[in-house]
Amino acid sequence: MTLFTHSEFDNHEQVIHYFDKPTGLKAIIAIHNTNLGSALGGCRMWNYANDDEALTDVLRLSKGMTYKAAITGLPLGGGKSVIIGDAKTEKTPKMMQAMGRAVEKLSGRYIIAEDVNTTVDDMVNIHKYTNHVVGLPSEGTKQAGGNPSPLTALGVFLGLKATVKHRLGKNSIAGLRVAVQGLGNVGYNLCERLHEEGAELFVTDINDSSIQKAVNNLGATAVALNDIYSQDVDVFAPCALGGIINDDTIPQIKATVVAGAANNQMATSNHIGALKSRNILYAPDFVINAGGLINVYYEHESRINNCSNSKKSAMEHINYITTTIEEIFKYADVEDISTALAANKIAESRFLTGNTEDKILKFNS
Ligand code: NAD
């Protein structure tokens, strides 16, 4: 296993392997960039086939967090952690406490949060040894009903509307046809918002009961899994998996707007250009799905720095996703580049220099 020559290395500042013999904790914490602030990112527990696979995952994910925080205008860097093991059979409270000690050793350079296979209870155990943790029961996650997804969905909804306005010139989504892939925590909440504003929904999920719920409650039309791409709709909203914009699906897409919550929607960076050449306007996922990150940032500020009005600030900042996405579209139009590349360039212009003068960072100035 190599680091400096690893294909995903991408100038990571610090990568820590942490082992705790009494609990069996095997973890990697990757800190991509802290020019804008502490690296905040979730902790994923996964039964990786080997250490290399875990390293590749954590490097890729932590870099993504740097871009998300920077484009969102948060004074945060990007980081992520992975615990190697089966969450169902190997995770223990003591193991998570050991993870807390690992985080504490970094003195605030890394702030840990929930991710795949880690829970609010795990964050509580981590909190026994470090304050550098978000997603505690008394924080935003509880206020949002136990998970951050409603606020992520709100950001996606606002981003989707701004994308529709830019591409179709419509201020409202009433009467528009929207195909939603994935009716989980974010996808279903997004559907509720879309339905409330008068959109016509076409939905799919691997879980039949989720589809039925959307059909019964929101008047949605059920669509077979593989038919979701080819629906004759205005908007395609991927809210399930990554990598679903690829060679197979791009020719099928009839929507002129792609805007959804799923992380890493493009199979490869080449596919971003392919959407642009088909004149499909893409709302970069890491821009419009940042509502949850915004929320935990303000909750952390409220606990650590005693900032008041954190809830109001979080809502204002989530609303600002609309302005951010509009700025990205303008920049992409002027430069004649894809929206994803435009978002990356703006994010890089901030985190590579540590520039906080940018007007999109006004919330934190
Ligand atoms: P979730 O697990 O609650 O929901 C995912 C849904 O997709 C489930 O209902 C699942 O059955 C469905 N699904 C799985 N495979 C599918 C397939 N092949 N076709 C159709 N449906 C399929 O997850 P979530 O929290 O709603 O997150 C959705 C996406 O948004 C993920 O990519 C996640 O990484 C991303 N995201 C979520 C948040 C958040 O706050 N939850 C924040 C940022 C990004």
Side-chain angles (χ1 to χ4, degrees):
M1 179 165 46
T2 58
L3 179 62
F4 297 118
T5 53
H6 194 288
S7 58
E8 302 286 343
F9 171 59
D10 196 61
N11 304 319
H12 266 75
E13 282 178 17
Q14 195 176 9
V15 179
I16 301 107
H17 288 69
Y18 192 84
F19 177 60
D20 183 68
K21 192 158 183 255
T23 62
L25 171 68
K26 274 191 278 180
I28 310 176
I29 302 174
I31 296 177
H32 179 247
N33 188 289
T34 57
N35 285 346
L36 292 173
S38 296
L40 193 156
C43 173
R44 177 169 296 193
M45 184 158 183
W46 198 256
N47 209 359
Y48 293 102
N50 51 52
D51 298 358
D52 274 341
E53 201 180 283
L55 180 65
T56 302
D57 206 26
V58 77
L59 292 175
R60 196 177 48 81
L61 293 166
S62 72
K63 175 182 167 186
M65 291 307 295
T66 300
Y67 280 79
K68 188 185 284 201
I71 198 66
T72 304
L74 289 167
L76 289 173
K80 203 91 182 182
S81 55
V82 293
I83 296 177
I84 301 167
D86 186 332
K88 286 204 181 92
T89 58
E90 294 177 55
K91 189 166 68 174
T92 62
K94 292 251 179 256
M95 179 185 276
M96 299 316 289
Q97 289 165 22
M99 189 66 187
R101 291 193 293 276
V103 171
E104 180 61 17
K105 282 179 201 290
L106 293 167
S107 309
R109 280 175 55 72
Y110 172 61
I111 302 167
I112 194 166
E114 285 165 64
D115 198 85
V116 176
N117 289 333
T118 57
T119 63
V120 174
D121 284 347
D122 295 332
M123 297 307 119
V124 170
N125 276 308
I126 287 171
H127 190 218
K128 290 183 176 153
Y129 287 90
T130 187
N131 245 329
H132 308 299
V133 52
V134 290
L136 294 168
S138 58
E139 296 190 298
T141 48
K142 190 174 185 190
Q143 286 165 26
N147 76 64
S149 308
L151 293 171
T152 301
L154 171 61
V156 173
F157 176 69
L158 295 170
L160 184 154
K161 283 188 64 166
T163 313
V164 161
K165 186 170 179 195
H166 193 83
R167 182 67 181 79
L168 302 173
K170 291 185 194 290
N171 283 319
S172 163
I173 48 164
L176 291 192
R177 295 156 66 91
V178 183
V180 181
Q181 179 184 47
L183 300 170
N185 289 313
V186 179
Y188 193 83
N189 190 294
L190 175 68
C191 283
E192 287 178 322
R193 291 176 187 280
L194 293 166
H195 173 69
E196 203 174 312
E197 202 167 305
E200 193 182 345
L201 297 170
F202 299 80
V203 299
T204 196
D205 198 289
I206 49 171
N207 187 343
D208 282 341
S209 63
S210 304
I211 298 184
Q212 214 42 56
K213 192 172 150 198
V215 170
N216 294 343
N217 298 349
L218 310 173
T221 301
V223 173
L225 284 177
N226 288 331
D227 292 344
I228 196 72
Y229 308 102
S230 57
Q231 291 303 299
D232 188 8
V233 292
D234 304 287
V235 180
F236 171 46
C239 297
L241 311 164
I244 45 83
I245 308 284
N246 55 43
D247 289 342
D248 284 342
T249 59
I250 289 174
Q252 300 178 46
I253 297 175
K254 296 201 179 80
T256 50
V257 165
V258 172
N263 277 314
N264 303 318
Q265 289 167 27
M266 301 293 150
T268 71
S269 52
N270 296 339
H271 296 109
I272 302 169
L275 277 190
K276 177 167 157 37
S277 11
R278 286 212 45 217
N279 206 15
I280 297 169
L281 187 60
Y282 169 61
D285 45 35
F286 66 102
V287 179
I288 67 170
N289 73 15
L293 175 66
I294 293 170
N295 186 48
V296 291
Y297 164 73
Y298 283 100
E299 293 302 333
H300 186 256
E301 281 298 283
S302 146
R303 177 161 50 88
I304 303 296
N305 296 326
N306 275 328
C307 293
S308 55
N309 265 339
S310 70
K311 198 159 188 203
K312 182 167 171 278
S313 302
M315 291 311 287
E316 280 176 8
H317 203 141
I318 291 170
N319 276 304
Y320 204 71
I321 287 175
T322 301
T323 308
T324 305
I325 199 88
E326 282 166 358
E327 297 280 338
I328 290 164
F329 291 154
K330 273 188 219 146
Y331 182 60
D333 286 346
V334 169
E335 298 289 320
D336 193 23
I337 56 176
S338 72
T339 52
L341 185 58
N344 283 347
K345 279 174 175 277
I346 296 171
E348 283 162 6
S349 74
R350 294 177 184 165
F351 76 76
L352 290 177
T353 60
N355 169 25
T356 54
E357 298 302 309
D358 192 310
K359 64 180 174 177
I360 299 182
L361 287 169
K362 72 175 187 175
F363 285 97
N364 309 301
S365 56

